[in-house]
Amino acid sequence: PISCWLFPVRIATHKNKTYLYYEEIPECSSAIKNGKNKNIKIYQMLKDPLTQVFSAEWYFELENAALRL
């Protein structure tokens, strides 16, 4: 299922809006630390599943928004 492919990012809805959130669990801490050391963001690691779920255009907009942060 897509939820496994996206993990540790979860998809939820509230008041007809879709949002993503990060579920922090101890088992992922070494992977998160490794990504930080290599300057790789979680959304970058999840490019393929995010693109499949939301679209390439959506992912492009996500990348541009992240650059402005």
Side-chain angles (χ1 to χ4, degrees):
I2 195 70
S3 61
C4 294
W5 200 19
L6 280 170
F7 193 81
V9 170
R10 299 292 194 185
I11 299 174
T13 57
H14 180 70
K15 295 184 180 181
N16 296 322
K17 302 256 182 183
T18 300
Y19 65 95
L20 304 175
Y21 66 95
Y22 168 67
E23 182 176 334
E24 186 173 352
I25 63 167
E27 292 85 356
C28 292
S29 63
S30 61
I32 298 299
K33 184 178 178 181
N34 188 40
K36 284 181 182 179
N37 290 339
K38 295 180 178 183
N39 198 31
I40 300 171
K41 309 294 186 225
I42 293 173
Y43 75 88
Q44 293 169 322
M45 290 297 299
L46 298 173
K47 180 179 181 176
D48 290 340
L50 288 170
T51 299
Q52 181 160 342
V53 171
F54 296 104
S55 79
E57 181 180 340
W58 180 92
Y59 186 83
F60 179 75
E61 291 177 24
L62 173 65
E63 285 183 311
N64 286 329
L67 291 173
R68 292 190 300 267
L69 294 177

